Amino acid sequence: MSTNFSEFKLKVDWKPTRFRGHSVKRNISQYLWNKKIRKQTLAEREHKCRICGYEPDEANLRHLEMHEIEHYDENNLICTLEGIDLICKRCHAFHHLGFTFSRTTEEQFNELIRHFIKVNNCTEEDFRNHFKAVRDKKFQGIPSLAEMKKIREDTRVVRYRVTGDIPYKDEVISQLKKKDLYI
């Protein structure tokens, strides 16, 4: 049984509850995101998944997705965009596992697990142990019901920082500032 998950190329992750549905992508124009940033990212990354190496033909480029690498300051509700990865849909599914699990059939989820096993050259037991380790770490400070109610009643707005070297960074920041979302 492997316990050194740092060797895994593909890892399980998910956003903290308060940040679900919030991203830089959702707060800038889709023209900027899809026509400019995505186009440049595809070219720079040579139309290839950074994790598993998947290289679709021109007709299947939609299977490559841009994953926002984010850091979350939960106390101040600040989401920092540290970079953008170009990864395939299957690899991307593991970066948002809670969302993925809620939207896939058991058969689809099992196929994703097989992808994880292949990419990491590991066993299903390794996957389950990695998942458990991430889950236990993410939820060690799970809020009480009173704290969850307080989170729901929190009317503060998620704000953003952009620290990574991303395409069209100045335009992204400008659009966030216009919405008073940049800090």
Side-chain angles (χ1 to χ4, degrees):
M1 172 178 80
S2 173
T3 55
N4 185 9
F5 305 123
S6 66
E7 300 295 321
F8 284 1
K9 292 190 274 182
L10 179 56
K11 297 179 181 176
V12 168
D13 200 5
W14 54 84
K15 280 186 168 192
T17 303
R18 189 65 174 95
F19 291 89
R20 289 190 188 134
H22 299 278
S23 67
V24 167
K25 174 186 175 180
R26 288 180 176 230
N27 285 287
I28 63 173
S29 74
Q30 292 310 292
Y31 178 81
L32 175 57
W33 185 260
N34 291 317
K35 300 296 184 192
K36 292 176 132 183
I37 297 171
R38 179 175 170 77
K39 183 178 180 181
Q40 185 172 330
T41 302
L42 281 165
E44 288 174 355
R45 308 282 164 64
E46 300 175 342
H47 302 82
K48 184 178 183 179
C49 176
R50 184 199 55 81
I51 296 173
C52 73
Y54 171 69
E55 291 183 74
D57 58 27
E58 196 70 30
N60 290 302
L61 285 179
R62 70 185 178 284
H63 294 294
L64 289 176
E65 299 179 345
M66 296 194 323
H67 170 65
E68 293 164 277
I69 301 165
E70 300 166 328
H71 171 77
Y72 309 103
D73 175 345
E74 295 185 59
N75 292 328
N76 297 302
L77 279 181
I78 299 170
C79 177
T80 302
L81 179 60
E82 298 176 338
I84 297 173
D85 252 350
L86 184 66
I87 57 180
C88 71
K89 281 185 173 192
R90 292 182 297 178
C91 288
H92 201 188
F94 287 96
H95 287 281
H96 304 282
L97 199 60
F99 180 80
T100 298
F101 189 78
S102 71
R103 295 199 168 28
T104 57
T105 65
E106 184 176 354
E107 182 180 319
Q108 291 168 326
F109 195 73
N110 287 334
E111 175 57 36
L112 288 172
I113 292 171
R114 287 190 290 277
H115 179 71
F116 183 96
I117 290 167
K118 180 180 176 186
V119 169
N120 290 314
N121 192 28
C122 67
T123 66
E124 186 169 339
E125 183 180 3
D126 291 332
F127 165 74
R128 294 190 186 289
N129 289 332
H130 172 60
F131 173 81
K132 183 181 180 326
V134 172
R135 183 201 63 207
D136 290 351
K137 184 178 178 189
K138 289 273 184 185
F139 292 109
Q140 66 186 352
I142 194 161
S144 67
L145 289 176
E147 290 168 323
M148 288 170 66
K149 183 179 180 202
K150 203 170 165 184
I151 289 169
R152 181 179 284 157
E153 293 169 351
D154 188 350
T155 59
R156 292 180 300 160
V157 173
V158 173
R159 300 205 188 280
Y160 302 91
R161 285 191 185 116
V162 180
T163 60
D165 184 24
I166 65 164
Y168 301 95
K169 181 178 181 175
D170 291 339
E171 282 187 56
V172 169
I173 291 170
S174 175
Q175 287 191 15
L176 291 170
K177 282 182 175 179
K178 283 181 184 173
K179 293 183 172 184
D180 196 27
L181 295 175
Y182 192 77
I183 197 160

PDB file of all heavy atoms in Angstrom, residues 1-12 94 110 112-131:
ATOM      1  N   MET A   1       0.840  -1.194   0.000  1.00  0.00           N
ATOM      2  CA  MET A   1       0.000   0.000   0.000  1.00  0.00           C
ATOM      3  C   MET A   1       0.878   1.248   0.000  1.00  0.00           C
ATOM      4  O   MET A   1       1.761   1.386   0.822  1.00  0.00           O
ATOM      5  CB  MET A   1      -0.915  -0.020   1.227  1.00  0.00           C
ATOM      6  CG  MET A   1      -1.683   1.260   1.414  1.00  0.00           C
ATOM      7  SD  MET A   1      -2.796   1.240   2.818  1.00  0.00           S
ATOM      8  CE  MET A   1      -1.685   1.555   4.149  1.00  0.00           C
ATOM      9  N   SER A   2       0.629   2.145  -0.957  1.00  0.00           N
ATOM     10  CA  SER A   2       1.393   3.388  -1.053  1.00  0.00           C
ATOM     11  C   SER A   2       0.779   4.451  -0.141  1.00  0.00           C
ATOM     12  O   SER A   2      -0.428   4.611  -0.095  1.00  0.00           O
ATOM     13  CB  SER A   2       1.370   3.883  -2.503  1.00  0.00           C
ATOM     14  OG  SER A   2       1.960   5.145  -2.571  1.00  0.00           O
ATOM     15  N   THR A   3       1.633   5.125   0.611  1.00  0.00           N
ATOM     16  CA  THR A   3       1.139   6.243   1.421  1.00  0.00           C
ATOM     17  C   THR A   3       1.834   7.535   1.036  1.00  0.00           C
ATOM     18  O   THR A   3       1.549   8.575   1.589  1.00  0.00           O
ATOM     19  CB  THR A   3       1.362   5.972   2.927  1.00  0.00           C
ATOM     20  OG1 THR A   3       2.751   5.700   3.140  1.00  0.00           O
ATOM     21  CG2 THR A   3       0.518   4.806   3.407  1.00  0.00           C
ATOM     22  N   ASN A   4       2.771   7.469   0.082  1.00  0.00           N
ATOM     23  CA  ASN A   4       3.467   8.657  -0.382  1.00  0.00           C
ATOM     24  C   ASN A   4       2.725   9.229  -1.585  1.00  0.00           C
ATOM     25  O   ASN A   4       3.122   9.027  -2.721  1.00  0.00           O
ATOM     26  CB  ASN A   4       4.915   8.333  -0.738  1.00  0.00           C
ATOM     27  CG  ASN A   4       5.685   9.580  -1.114  1.00  0.00           C
ATOM     28  OD1 ASN A   4       5.195  10.698  -0.947  1.00  0.00           O
ATOM     29  ND2 ASN A   4       6.879   9.388  -1.632  1.00  0.00           N
ATOM     30  N   PHE A   5       1.667   9.946  -1.305  1.00  0.00           N
ATOM     31  CA  PHE A   5       0.824  10.469  -2.372  1.00  0.00           C
ATOM     32  C   PHE A   5       1.470  11.645  -3.101  1.00  0.00           C
ATOM     33  O   PHE A   5       0.978  12.068  -4.129  1.00  0.00           O
ATOM     34  CB  PHE A   5      -0.541  10.869  -1.818  1.00  0.00           C
ATOM     35  CG  PHE A   5      -1.222   9.748  -1.077  1.00  0.00           C
ATOM     36  CD1 PHE A   5      -1.619   9.906   0.240  1.00  0.00           C
ATOM     37  CD2 PHE A   5      -1.463   8.534  -1.689  1.00  0.00           C
ATOM     38  CE1 PHE A   5      -2.243   8.883   0.926  1.00  0.00           C
ATOM     39  CE2 PHE A   5      -2.082   7.490  -1.013  1.00  0.00           C
ATOM     40  CZ  PHE A   5      -2.475   7.668   0.298  1.00  0.00           C
ATOM     41  N   SER A   6       2.570  12.166  -2.581  1.00  0.00           N
ATOM     42  CA  SER A   6       3.246  13.278  -3.251  1.00  0.00           C
ATOM     43  C   SER A   6       3.756  12.861  -4.626  1.00  0.00           C
ATOM     44  O   SER A   6       3.980  13.710  -5.483  1.00  0.00           O
ATOM     45  CB  SER A   6       4.404  13.799  -2.392  1.00  0.00           C
ATOM     46  OG  SER A   6       5.417  12.811  -2.277  1.00  0.00           O
ATOM     47  N   GLU A   7       3.924  11.574  -4.851  1.00  0.00           N
ATOM     48  CA  GLU A   7       4.382  11.066  -6.146  1.00  0.00           C
ATOM     49  C   GLU A   7       3.254  11.022  -7.180  1.00  0.00           C
ATOM     50  O   GLU A   7       3.519  10.852  -8.367  1.00  0.00           O
ATOM     51  CB  GLU A   7       4.982   9.663  -5.982  1.00  0.00           C
ATOM     52  CG  GLU A   7       6.174   9.617  -5.055  1.00  0.00           C
ATOM     53  CD  GLU A   7       7.372  10.390  -5.586  1.00  0.00           C
ATOM     54  OE1 GLU A   7       7.622  10.326  -6.810  1.00  0.00           O
ATOM     55  OE2 GLU A   7       8.028  11.074  -4.787  1.00  0.00           O
ATOM     56  N   PHE A   8       2.020  11.140  -6.733  1.00  0.00           N
ATOM     57  CA  PHE A   8       0.891  11.076  -7.661  1.00  0.00           C
ATOM     58  C   PHE A   8       0.891  12.313  -8.556  1.00  0.00           C
ATOM     59  O   PHE A   8       1.030  13.436  -8.080  1.00  0.00           O
ATOM     60  CB  PHE A   8      -0.432  11.005  -6.907  1.00  0.00           C
ATOM     61  CG  PHE A   8      -0.756   9.665  -6.312  1.00  0.00           C
ATOM     62  CD1 PHE A   8       0.097   8.581  -6.416  1.00  0.00           C
ATOM     63  CD2 PHE A   8      -1.947   9.476  -5.644  1.00  0.00           C
ATOM     64  CE1 PHE A   8      -0.215   7.348  -5.876  1.00  0.00           C
ATOM     65  CE2 PHE A   8      -2.281   8.246  -5.095  1.00  0.00           C
ATOM     66  CZ  PHE A   8      -1.406   7.179  -5.220  1.00  0.00           C
ATOM     67  N   LYS A   9       0.670  12.107  -9.847  1.00  0.00           N
ATOM     68  CA  LYS A   9       0.527  13.221 -10.787  1.00  0.00           C
ATOM     69  C   LYS A   9      -0.885  13.789 -10.706  1.00  0.00           C
ATOM     70  O   LYS A   9      -1.097  14.983 -10.875  1.00  0.00           O
ATOM     71  CB  LYS A   9       0.800  12.754 -12.225  1.00  0.00           C
ATOM     72  CG  LYS A   9       2.225  12.363 -12.483  1.00  0.00           C
ATOM     73  CD  LYS A   9       2.481  12.155 -13.953  1.00  0.00           C
ATOM     74  CE  LYS A   9       2.141  10.765 -14.374  1.00  0.00           C
ATOM     75  NZ  LYS A   9       2.426  10.486 -15.786  1.00  0.00           N
ATOM     76  N   LEU A  10      -1.855  12.910 -10.478  1.00  0.00           N
ATOM     77  CA  LEU A  10      -3.261  13.293 -10.381  1.00  0.00           C
ATOM     78  C   LEU A  10      -3.688  13.122  -8.933  1.00  0.00           C
ATOM     79  O   LEU A  10      -3.472  12.069  -8.337  1.00  0.00           O
ATOM     80  CB  LEU A  10      -4.111  12.400 -11.299  1.00  0.00           C
ATOM     81  CG  LEU A  10      -5.617  12.638 -11.315  1.00  0.00           C
ATOM     82  CD1 LEU A  10      -5.957  14.084 -11.660  1.00  0.00           C
ATOM     83  CD2 LEU A  10      -6.272  11.678 -12.308  1.00  0.00           C
ATOM     84  N   LYS A  11      -4.283  14.176  -8.381  1.00  0.00           N
ATOM     85  CA  LYS A  11      -4.678  14.146  -6.970  1.00  0.00           C
ATOM     86  C   LYS A  11      -6.128  14.584  -6.816  1.00  0.00           C
ATOM     87  O   LYS A  11      -6.670  15.285  -7.656  1.00  0.00           O
ATOM     88  CB  LYS A  11      -3.771  15.060  -6.147  1.00  0.00           C
ATOM     89  CG  LYS A  11      -2.321  14.589  -6.167  1.00  0.00           C
ATOM     90  CD  LYS A  11      -1.432  15.495  -5.372  1.00  0.00           C
ATOM     91  CE  LYS A  11       0.002  14.971  -5.458  1.00  0.00           C
ATOM     92  NZ  LYS A  11       0.923  15.845  -4.798  1.00  0.00           N
ATOM     93  N   VAL A  12      -6.708  14.188  -5.724  1.00  0.00           N
ATOM     94  CA  VAL A  12      -8.080  14.536  -5.371  1.00  0.00           C
ATOM     95  C   VAL A  12      -8.076  15.883  -4.655  1.00  0.00           C
ATOM     96  O   VAL A  12      -7.201  16.153  -3.838  1.00  0.00           O
ATOM     97  CB  VAL A  12      -8.680  13.455  -4.431  1.00  0.00           C
ATOM     98  CG1 VAL A  12      -9.990  13.928  -3.816  1.00  0.00           C
ATOM     99  CG2 VAL A  12      -8.855  12.140  -5.163  1.00  0.00           C
ATOM    100  N   PHE A  94     -11.161  15.285 -10.890  1.00  0.00           N
ATOM    101  CA  PHE A  94     -10.601  15.006  -9.563  1.00  0.00           C
ATOM    102  C   PHE A  94     -10.259  16.267  -8.785  1.00  0.00           C
ATOM    103  O   PHE A  94     -10.100  16.219  -7.573  1.00  0.00           O
ATOM    104  CB  PHE A  94      -9.372  14.096  -9.682  1.00  0.00           C
ATOM    105  CG  PHE A  94      -9.766  12.692 -10.016  1.00  0.00           C
ATOM    106  CD1 PHE A  94      -9.761  12.248 -11.318  1.00  0.00           C
ATOM    107  CD2 PHE A  94     -10.197  11.820  -9.026  1.00  0.00           C
ATOM    108  CE1 PHE A  94     -10.155  10.964 -11.640  1.00  0.00           C
ATOM    109  CE2 PHE A  94     -10.600  10.540  -9.327  1.00  0.00           C
ATOM    110  CZ  PHE A  94     -10.581  10.101 -10.640  1.00  0.00           C
ATOM    111  N   ASN A 110     -16.681   5.109 -11.684  1.00  0.00           N
ATOM    112  CA  ASN A 110     -15.734   3.997 -11.718  1.00  0.00           C
ATOM    113  C   ASN A 110     -14.742   4.149 -12.865  1.00  0.00           C
ATOM    114  O   ASN A 110     -13.561   3.805 -12.727  1.00  0.00           O
ATOM    115  CB  ASN A 110     -16.469   2.658 -11.796  1.00  0.00           C
ATOM    116  CG  ASN A 110     -17.130   2.307 -10.478  1.00  0.00           C
ATOM    117  OD1 ASN A 110     -16.694   2.736  -9.414  1.00  0.00           O
ATOM    118  ND2 ASN A 110     -18.198   1.530 -10.545  1.00  0.00           N
ATOM    119  N   LEU A 112     -13.700   7.026 -13.996  1.00  0.00           N
ATOM    120  CA  LEU A 112     -12.772   8.049 -13.528  1.00  0.00           C
ATOM    121  C   LEU A 112     -11.727   7.451 -12.582  1.00  0.00           C
ATOM    122  O   LEU A 112     -10.544   7.800 -12.647  1.00  0.00           O
ATOM    123  CB  LEU A 112     -13.525   9.192 -12.842  1.00  0.00           C
ATOM    124  CG  LEU A 112     -14.330  10.098 -13.754  1.00  0.00           C
ATOM    125  CD1 LEU A 112     -15.193  11.057 -12.942  1.00  0.00           C
ATOM    126  CD2 LEU A 112     -13.419  10.864 -14.706  1.00  0.00           C
ATOM    127  N   ILE A 113     -12.163   6.555 -11.723  1.00  0.00           N
ATOM    128  CA  ILE A 113     -11.214   5.887 -10.811  1.00  0.00           C
ATOM    129  C   ILE A 113     -10.187   5.098 -11.620  1.00  0.00           C
ATOM    130  O   ILE A 113      -8.984   5.130 -11.317  1.00  0.00           O
ATOM    131  CB  ILE A 113     -11.952   4.986  -9.797  1.00  0.00           C
ATOM    132  CG1 ILE A 113     -12.762   5.853  -8.830  1.00  0.00           C
ATOM    133  CG2 ILE A 113     -10.956   4.106  -9.024  1.00  0.00           C
ATOM    134  CD1 ILE A 113     -13.694   5.073  -7.916  1.00  0.00           C
ATOM    135  N   ARG A 114     -10.620   4.415 -12.672  1.00  0.00           N
ATOM    136  CA  ARG A 114      -9.676   3.674 -13.528  1.00  0.00           C
ATOM    137  C   ARG A 114      -8.675   4.637 -14.169  1.00  0.00           C
ATOM    138  O   ARG A 114      -7.489   4.318 -14.301  1.00  0.00           O
ATOM    139  CB  ARG A 114     -10.418   2.857 -14.579  1.00  0.00           C
ATOM    140  CG  ARG A 114     -11.132   1.627 -13.984  1.00  0.00           C
ATOM    141  CD  ARG A 114     -11.667   0.680 -15.049  1.00  0.00           C
ATOM    142  NE  ARG A 114     -12.798   1.209 -15.792  1.00  0.00           N
ATOM    143  CZ  ARG A 114     -14.066   1.167 -15.379  1.00  0.00           C
ATOM    144  NH1 ARG A 114     -14.369   0.624 -14.204  1.00  0.00           N
ATOM    145  NH2 ARG A 114     -15.030   1.669 -16.137  1.00  0.00           N
ATOM    146  N   HIS A 115      -9.140   5.818 -14.557  1.00  0.00           N
ATOM    147  CA  HIS A 115      -8.241   6.833 -15.115  1.00  0.00           C
ATOM    148  C   HIS A 115      -7.198   7.244 -14.070  1.00  0.00           C
ATOM    149  O   HIS A 115      -5.996   7.318 -14.364  1.00  0.00           O
ATOM    150  CB  HIS A 115      -9.043   8.048 -15.598  1.00  0.00           C
ATOM    151  CG  HIS A 115      -8.209   9.149 -16.168  1.00  0.00           C
ATOM    152  ND1 HIS A 115      -7.572   9.044 -17.380  1.00  0.00           N
ATOM    153  CD2 HIS A 115      -7.903  10.388 -15.684  1.00  0.00           C
ATOM    154  CE1 HIS A 115      -6.907  10.162 -17.632  1.00  0.00           C
ATOM    155  NE2 HIS A 115      -7.090  10.989 -16.615  1.00  0.00           N
ATOM    156  N   PHE A 116      -7.643   7.500 -12.855  1.00  0.00           N
ATOM    157  CA  PHE A 116      -6.753   7.879 -11.759  1.00  0.00           C
ATOM    158  C   PHE A 116      -5.686   6.807 -11.544  1.00  0.00           C
ATOM    159  O   PHE A 116      -4.501   7.114 -11.408  1.00  0.00           O
ATOM    160  CB  PHE A 116      -7.589   8.071 -10.479  1.00  0.00           C
ATOM    161  CG  PHE A 116      -6.799   8.540  -9.288  1.00  0.00           C
ATOM    162  CD1 PHE A 116      -6.749   9.886  -8.972  1.00  0.00           C
ATOM    163  CD2 PHE A 116      -6.123   7.640  -8.466  1.00  0.00           C
ATOM    164  CE1 PHE A 116      -6.035  10.328  -7.860  1.00  0.00           C
ATOM    165  CE2 PHE A 116      -5.407   8.069  -7.357  1.00  0.00           C
ATOM    166  CZ  PHE A 116      -5.364   9.421  -7.064  1.00  0.00           C
ATOM    167  N   ILE A 117      -6.115   5.558 -11.528  1.00  0.00           N
ATOM    168  CA  ILE A 117      -5.203   4.425 -11.309  1.00  0.00           C
ATOM    169  C   ILE A 117      -4.168   4.353 -12.429  1.00  0.00           C
ATOM    170  O   ILE A 117      -2.968   4.165 -12.181  1.00  0.00           O
ATOM    171  CB  ILE A 117      -6.011   3.114 -11.190  1.00  0.00           C
ATOM    172  CG1 ILE A 117      -6.804   3.115  -9.869  1.00  0.00           C
ATOM    173  CG2 ILE A 117      -5.110   1.888 -11.307  1.00  0.00           C
ATOM    174  CD1 ILE A 117      -7.872   2.029  -9.776  1.00  0.00           C
ATOM    175  N   LYS A 118      -4.609   4.535 -13.656  1.00  0.00           N
ATOM    176  CA  LYS A 118      -3.702   4.475 -14.805  1.00  0.00           C
ATOM    177  C   LYS A 118      -2.693   5.629 -14.760  1.00  0.00           C
ATOM    178  O   LYS A 118      -1.485   5.420 -14.942  1.00  0.00           O
ATOM    179  CB  LYS A 118      -4.501   4.528 -16.103  1.00  0.00           C
ATOM    180  CG  LYS A 118      -3.646   4.470 -17.347  1.00  0.00           C
ATOM    181  CD  LYS A 118      -4.500   4.532 -18.595  1.00  0.00           C
ATOM    182  CE  LYS A 118      -3.615   4.578 -19.843  1.00  0.00           C
ATOM    183  NZ  LYS A 118      -4.418   4.790 -21.046  1.00  0.00           N
ATOM    184  N   VAL A 119      -3.171   6.839 -14.525  1.00  0.00           N
ATOM    185  CA  VAL A 119      -2.297   8.017 -14.517  1.00  0.00           C
ATOM    186  C   VAL A 119      -1.243   7.908 -13.416  1.00  0.00           C
ATOM    187  O   VAL A 119      -0.078   8.239 -13.622  1.00  0.00           O
ATOM    188  CB  VAL A 119      -3.118   9.319 -14.351  1.00  0.00           C
ATOM    189  CG1 VAL A 119      -2.232  10.516 -14.066  1.00  0.00           C
ATOM    190  CG2 VAL A 119      -3.972   9.560 -15.589  1.00  0.00           C
ATOM    191  N   ASN A 120      -1.638   7.424 -12.265  1.00  0.00           N
ATOM    192  CA  ASN A 120      -0.728   7.348 -11.121  1.00  0.00           C
ATOM    193  C   ASN A 120      -0.016   5.997 -10.992  1.00  0.00           C
ATOM    194  O   ASN A 120       0.795   5.827 -10.080  1.00  0.00           O
ATOM    195  CB  ASN A 120      -1.480   7.665  -9.826  1.00  0.00           C
ATOM    196  CG  ASN A 120      -1.873   9.119  -9.753  1.00  0.00           C
ATOM    197  OD1 ASN A 120      -1.072  10.004 -10.028  1.00  0.00           O
ATOM    198  ND2 ASN A 120      -3.111   9.383  -9.399  1.00  0.00           N
ATOM    199  N   ASN A 121      -0.357   5.072 -11.892  1.00  0.00           N
ATOM    200  CA  ASN A 121       0.238   3.733 -11.827  1.00  0.00           C
ATOM    201  C   ASN A 121       0.122   3.183 -10.406  1.00  0.00           C
ATOM    202  O   ASN A 121       1.117   2.836  -9.760  1.00  0.00           O
ATOM    203  CB  ASN A 121       1.697   3.760 -12.291  1.00  0.00           C
ATOM    204  CG  ASN A 121       2.240   2.364 -12.507  1.00  0.00           C
ATOM    205  OD1 ASN A 121       1.489   1.432 -12.814  1.00  0.00           O
ATOM    206  ND2 ASN A 121       3.543   2.205 -12.341  1.00  0.00           N
ATOM    207  N   CYS A 122      -1.117   3.153  -9.922  1.00  0.00           N
ATOM    208  CA  CYS A 122      -1.361   2.723  -8.549  1.00  0.00           C
ATOM    209  C   CYS A 122      -2.507   1.720  -8.524  1.00  0.00           C
ATOM    210  O   CYS A 122      -3.034   1.339  -9.570  1.00  0.00           O
ATOM    211  CB  CYS A 122      -1.672   3.929  -7.667  1.00  0.00           C
ATOM    212  SG  CYS A 122      -3.235   4.779  -8.035  1.00  0.00           S
ATOM    213  N   THR A 123      -2.903   1.324  -7.361  1.00  0.00           N
ATOM    214  CA  THR A 123      -4.001   0.380  -7.200  1.00  0.00           C
ATOM    215  C   THR A 123      -5.274   1.123  -6.790  1.00  0.00           C
ATOM    216  O   THR A 123      -5.216   2.301  -6.401  1.00  0.00           O
ATOM    217  CB  THR A 123      -3.680  -0.656  -6.108  1.00  0.00           C
ATOM    218  OG1 THR A 123      -3.612   0.031  -4.835  1.00  0.00           O
ATOM    219  CG2 THR A 123      -2.357  -1.372  -6.386  1.00  0.00           C
ATOM    220  N   GLU A 124      -6.385   0.420  -6.835  1.00  0.00           N
ATOM    221  CA  GLU A 124      -7.633   1.019  -6.355  1.00  0.00           C
ATOM    222  C   GLU A 124      -7.539   1.300  -4.865  1.00  0.00           C
ATOM    223  O   GLU A 124      -8.062   2.305  -4.381  1.00  0.00           O
ATOM    224  CB  GLU A 124      -8.828   0.106  -6.655  1.00  0.00           C
ATOM    225  CG  GLU A 124     -10.136   0.772  -6.306  1.00  0.00           C
ATOM    226  CD  GLU A 124     -11.359   0.030  -6.816  1.00  0.00           C
ATOM    227  OE1 GLU A 124     -11.242  -0.769  -7.763  1.00  0.00           O
ATOM    228  OE2 GLU A 124     -12.444   0.276  -6.252  1.00  0.00           O
ATOM    229  N   GLU A 125      -6.846   0.446  -4.136  1.00  0.00           N
ATOM    230  CA  GLU A 125      -6.655   0.684  -2.710  1.00  0.00           C
ATOM    231  C   GLU A 125      -5.865   1.977  -2.477  1.00  0.00           C
ATOM    232  O   GLU A 125      -6.182   2.747  -1.567  1.00  0.00           O
ATOM    233  CB  GLU A 125      -5.931  -0.496  -2.055  1.00  0.00           C
ATOM    234  CG  GLU A 125      -5.782  -0.337  -0.564  1.00  0.00           C
ATOM    235  CD  GLU A 125      -5.066  -1.512   0.097  1.00  0.00           C
ATOM    236  OE1 GLU A 125      -4.624  -2.440  -0.603  1.00  0.00           O
ATOM    237  OE2 GLU A 125      -4.962  -1.478   1.340  1.00  0.00           O
ATOM    238  N   ASP A 126      -4.849   2.223  -3.329  1.00  0.00           N
ATOM    239  CA  ASP A 126      -4.092   3.480  -3.225  1.00  0.00           C
ATOM    240  C   ASP A 126      -5.022   4.675  -3.447  1.00  0.00           C
ATOM    241  O   ASP A 126      -4.930   5.675  -2.740  1.00  0.00           O
ATOM    242  CB  ASP A 126      -2.957   3.526  -4.249  1.00  0.00           C
ATOM    243  CG  ASP A 126      -1.849   2.535  -3.959  1.00  0.00           C
ATOM    244  OD1 ASP A 126      -1.637   2.173  -2.784  1.00  0.00           O
ATOM    245  OD2 ASP A 126      -1.190   2.106  -4.931  1.00  0.00           O
ATOM    246  N   PHE A 127      -5.892   4.576  -4.462  1.00  0.00           N
ATOM    247  CA  PHE A 127      -6.850   5.659  -4.714  1.00  0.00           C
ATOM    248  C   PHE A 127      -7.707   5.891  -3.479  1.00  0.00           C
ATOM    249  O   PHE A 127      -7.870   7.025  -3.026  1.00  0.00           O
ATOM    250  CB  PHE A 127      -7.758   5.350  -5.913  1.00  0.00           C
ATOM    251  CG  PHE A 127      -8.964   6.255  -5.959  1.00  0.00           C
ATOM    252  CD1 PHE A 127      -8.846   7.578  -6.353  1.00  0.00           C
ATOM    253  CD2 PHE A 127     -10.216   5.792  -5.552  1.00  0.00           C
ATOM    254  CE1 PHE A 127      -9.944   8.431  -6.352  1.00  0.00           C
ATOM    255  CE2 PHE A 127     -11.320   6.635  -5.555  1.00  0.00           C
ATOM    256  CZ  PHE A 127     -11.182   7.955  -5.958  1.00  0.00           C
ATOM    257  N   ARG A 128      -8.261   4.810  -2.932  1.00  0.00           N
ATOM    258  CA  ARG A 128      -9.149   4.948  -1.766  1.00  0.00           C
ATOM    259  C   ARG A 128      -8.413   5.542  -0.562  1.00  0.00           C
ATOM    260  O   ARG A 128      -8.966   6.376   0.155  1.00  0.00           O
ATOM    261  CB  ARG A 128      -9.782   3.612  -1.433  1.00  0.00           C
ATOM    262  CG  ARG A 128     -10.720   3.151  -2.547  1.00  0.00           C
ATOM    263  CD  ARG A 128     -11.568   1.952  -2.175  1.00  0.00           C
ATOM    264  NE  ARG A 128     -12.328   1.493  -3.319  1.00  0.00           N
ATOM    265  CZ  ARG A 128     -13.359   2.125  -3.870  1.00  0.00           C
ATOM    266  NH1 ARG A 128     -13.764   3.272  -3.360  1.00  0.00           N
ATOM    267  NH2 ARG A 128     -13.989   1.621  -4.911  1.00  0.00           N
ATOM    268  N   ASN A 129      -7.158   5.136  -0.358  1.00  0.00           N
ATOM    269  CA  ASN A 129      -6.371   5.685   0.744  1.00  0.00           C
ATOM    270  C   ASN A 129      -6.056   7.162   0.527  1.00  0.00           C
ATOM    271  O   ASN A 129      -6.099   7.960   1.467  1.00  0.00           O
ATOM    272  CB  ASN A 129      -5.079   4.889   0.937  1.00  0.00           C
ATOM    273  CG  ASN A 129      -5.350   3.513   1.518  1.00  0.00           C
ATOM    274  OD1 ASN A 129      -6.317   3.301   2.237  1.00  0.00           O
ATOM    275  ND2 ASN A 129      -4.495   2.565   1.185  1.00  0.00           N
ATOM    276  N   HIS A 130      -5.738   7.521  -0.713  1.00  0.00           N
ATOM    277  CA  HIS A 130      -5.485   8.931  -1.026  1.00  0.00           C
ATOM    278  C   HIS A 130      -6.754   9.751  -0.800  1.00  0.00           C
ATOM    279  O   HIS A 130      -6.718  10.817  -0.161  1.00  0.00           O
ATOM    280  CB  HIS A 130      -5.004   9.068  -2.476  1.00  0.00           C
ATOM    281  CG  HIS A 130      -4.894  10.474  -2.943  1.00  0.00           C
ATOM    282  ND1 HIS A 130      -4.067  11.404  -2.349  1.00  0.00           N
ATOM    283  CD2 HIS A 130      -5.525  11.135  -3.945  1.00  0.00           C
ATOM    284  CE1 HIS A 130      -4.190  12.562  -2.973  1.00  0.00           C
ATOM    285  NE2 HIS A 130      -5.075  12.427  -3.943  1.00  0.00           N
ATOM    286  N   PHE A 131      -7.876   9.264  -1.316  1.00  0.00           N
ATOM    287  CA  PHE A 131      -9.152   9.947  -1.128  1.00  0.00           C
ATOM    288  C   PHE A 131      -9.440  10.147   0.358  1.00  0.00           C
ATOM    289  O   PHE A 131      -9.790  11.249   0.789  1.00  0.00           O
ATOM    290  CB  PHE A 131     -10.293   9.164  -1.784  1.00  0.00           C
ATOM    291  CG  PHE A 131     -11.646   9.729  -1.479  1.00  0.00           C
ATOM    292  CD1 PHE A 131     -12.128  10.818  -2.194  1.00  0.00           C
ATOM    293  CD2 PHE A 131     -12.416   9.202  -0.453  1.00  0.00           C
ATOM    294  CE1 PHE A 131     -13.370  11.364  -1.899  1.00  0.00           C
ATOM    295  CE2 PHE A 131     -13.654   9.745  -0.150  1.00  0.00           C
ATOM    296  CZ  PHE A 131     -14.134  10.822  -0.869  1.00  0.00           C
TER     297      PHE A 131
END
